[in-house]
Structure formats: structure tokens, C-alpha cells
Amino acid sequence: MAAKTYSVLITGANRGIGLEMVKQMVEATRPIQKIFACCRDPDGPRSEALQALAKKHPNVVTVIRLDVTDLSSIKQSAQKVGSLVGTGGLNLLVNNAGVLAHGTVMTTSPEDMQAAFNTNIMGPMNVTKEFLPLVQTAARASGAPGRMSCSKAAVINISTVMASMASLAASYSHMPAMSYRVSKAGLNMLMLCCSEEFGKDEILFAGLHPGWVKTEMGGSAAHIEAPESVEGLLRVMDSLTDKQNGAFLDYQGKPIPW
Ligand code: NDP
């Protein structure tokens, strides 16, 4: 990520792809100035690796409590981050937190469907809305009118190829995960609506598929390790311009059919 990206916020940053993203951003040769690494239980055992990273880089990484399913937690974190970024605003918001439950149309419980919607759609929607004023501030403060980029002002949603309606038939029988697919397809539409609504503010929106990654969600049979996925995601984010506003791409930059 370019040095001119001053501030980044990542949800679900305590493990998996989110944690790796914080790690690569802070260890980059041209590191980002401020990384707000959000997680829902900063003091719990699942956040130890993130806390260790923050301790190693106290001037860059700030751990913020943020449960994407809890509006008051989102509002509190937006207030805190707002006071820390000041007049520069927040350049990049990464909606990474997500949940996956297995099940077909017939076997998915109402609770799993609700949880998928709460975390994978309502979460990014509320996070985007509450942090938007900070991203708008960054867009205005950038001194680069007429351009779009992740180093200026952007919201990246971590989506999945499993949201692709065009490629559903090829994968549904061995990996239904119906609630996940439906919620991530909704997340993609949310991203498109945002790209229409906030284009006037010169804020870039995109949905990125990280590949099939060996994390708790991806499992041990996945194709790639988190470092490879995140290297690709950061490269793609760095390359985005207004031409990719509203795009759905994989971690290698290839467009995914809707
Ligand atoms: P993990 O299961 O390893 O991590 C999920 C992260 O989301 C954790 O940090 C978890 O926090 C957080 N999270 C879940 N619910 C909430 C919540 N309510 N509030 C805040 N944080 C929450 O998954 P990955 O790292 O693999 O996935 C990251 C993103 O990438 C997801 O959006 C996923 O859909 C997407 N993706 C992953 C793929 C893969 O193969 N791994 C493939 C395609 C997309 P906690 O520790 O508190 O549970």
C-alpha cells in the first residue's frame, strides 16, 4: 500500500485474513501511518496475536473494540477513531469480518440465516454508514480532486466468489453454504449501491475475493495461505482507480462474473 495512505481500519482483525492484513501493512517498507485493527473481544484469548503486534508497533497499530453486529459498538468505535484521525479523516475502510455456516436451503436454520445477514450485510452497512463521514473527510483532505484510490478514500468489502450467481452451478452441490452465499451476494449489491451513492464524494467502493484461504473459515484443504492472499489483496487495492469503482475482483485482480 502506498505511503500516502495515512489511515486504514480493518474489521475482524484479530485472526485470519484480517490479522494478516494488519501484519503486512505494518511491516511494509512504506508502512501506513495509522492502522485501526478492530475486533469484538480485544482482551480475549482470540486477540492475543493482534495485541502482540500492536505492542510491537504502538505508534501505528491501535486495537479498537468493534462488534459489527452491535450498532452502539460501531458508533463508539467511529467516535474514537474520529478523534484519533482528526482532520485527515480515514482513508481506507476494509469490511473484512464475516461468518460462514454450512447448510442447504432445507437444512439452514433461521438462526444461521439471521447471523449471516447480521454479520455479512448489516455489519458492513452500519460500519460503512457510521465511518463514512471520516472517509468523506479523507476524500476532501486528499488534495487530489477528480481521482479515486485506496490511498485517498475507499471502502473495500471482503466478498467471495461464492456470491457469484453466474458460477453457482459449478460449486453449489459440494459447498452449498446457502446463508453465506445469499448474504455475500447481498453484500455485493450493497457495495454497488454505495458506489452509486458516494461516487460524488470520490470514494471508491469494491468487493474483493481473497481466494480460498487456509484460515479458520477456509479450513486446511484451502488452496492458499493467508500471506499469499493478503499480498494479492494489497496489490489489487493499490492498483484500483475510478475505473474499478463498483468492481468485483479476486485477489489477483481478475474480474469475477456477478
Ligand atoms: P476467519 O473465520 O478466520 O475470521 C473471521 C473474522 O471475522 C474473525 O476475526 C472474527 O472475529 C471476525 N468476526 C466474525 N463476526 C464478527 C463480529 N460480529 N464482529 C466483529 N468481528 C467479527 O475468516 P477469514 O479470515 O477466512 O475471513 C475473512 C473474510 O474473508 C470474511 O469476510 C470471509 O467471508 C472472507 N472470505 C474468506 C475465504 C477463505 O477461504 N478463508 C474465502 C472467501 C472470502 P472473532 O475471532 O471474534 O470470531
Side-chain angles (χ1 to χ4, degrees), residues 13-16 19 39-53 63 65 216:
N14 58 308
R15 59 187 172 95
L19 177 64
C39 59
R40 54 183 161 177
D41 185 15
D43 305 319
R46 284 167 93 83
S47 301
E48 278 170 12
L50 175 61
Q51 290 289 6
L53 199 56
V63 179
R65 183 186 302 277
E216 226 171 286

Side-chain angles (χ1 to χ4, degrees), residues 102-110 113 168 172 176-179 182:
H102 293 283
T104 63
V105 174
M106 292 308 286
T107 62
T108 295
S109 67
M113 196 71 186
L168 176 69
Y172 189 76
M178 185 277 290
S179 59
V182 173

Side-chain angles (χ1 to χ4, degrees), residues 41-240:
D41 185 15
D43 305 319
R46 284 167 93 83
S47 301
E48 278 170 12
L50 175 61
Q51 290 289 6
L53 199 56
K55 208 168 164 189
K56 202 168 151 199
H57 304 277
N59 298 327
V60 182
V61 180
T62 307
V63 179
I64 304 271
R65 183 186 302 277
L66 200 178
D67 180 338
V68 304
T69 62
D70 177 356
L71 188 55
S72 66
S73 151
I74 299 172
K75 282 181 187 284
Q76 276 170 23
S77 60
Q79 210 164 26
K80 182 160 187 191
V81 171
S83 69
L84 294 171
V85 293
T87 53
L90 178 67
N91 297 104
L92 175 61
L93 163 63
V94 183
N95 283 311
N96 166 73
V99 291
L100 178 151
H102 293 283
T104 63
V105 174
M106 292 308 286
T107 62
T108 295
S109 67
E111 292 76 20
D112 278 349
M113 196 71 186
Q114 192 69 61
F117 269 66
N118 286 347
T119 309
N120 299 346
I121 304 182
M122 294 296 290
M125 185 191 85
N126 286 327
V127 170
T128 301
K129 281 170 77 169
E130 294 301 324
F131 282 91
L132 196 78
L134 305 183
V135 185
Q136 285 170 322
T137 299
R140 285 193 300 270
S142 73
R147 299 210 186 134
M148 282 186 179
S149 71
C150 285
S151 47
K152 174 180 169 178
V155 178
I156 299 298
N157 291 343
I158 303 302
S159 183
T160 168
V161 70
M162 287 174 71
S164 167
M165 298 181 201
S167 62
L168 176 69
S171 64
Y172 189 76
S173 60
H174 53 269
M175 181 64 173
M178 185 277 290
S179 59
Y180 183 69
R181 288 179 186 273
V182 173
S183 64
K184 289 285 191 175
L187 176 68
N188 282 354
M189 180 55 93
L190 170 70
M191 181 276 291
L192 281 173
C193 294
C194 289
S195 73
E196 288 293 325
E197 206 164 320
F198 306 113
K200 63 177 181 347
D201 295 317
E202 299 181 346
I203 299 172
L204 190 155
F205 284 80
L208 299 184
H209 166 59
W212 185 16
V213 192
K214 289 179 187 170
T215 61
E216 226 171 286
M217 183 185 289
S220 57
H223 290 154
I224 56 172
E225 302 282 351
E228 183 181 348
S229 166
V230 170
E231 272 164 35
L233 289 171
L234 296 186
R235 207 174 304 119
V236 172
M237 286 187 215
D238 241 356
S239 73
L240 299 178

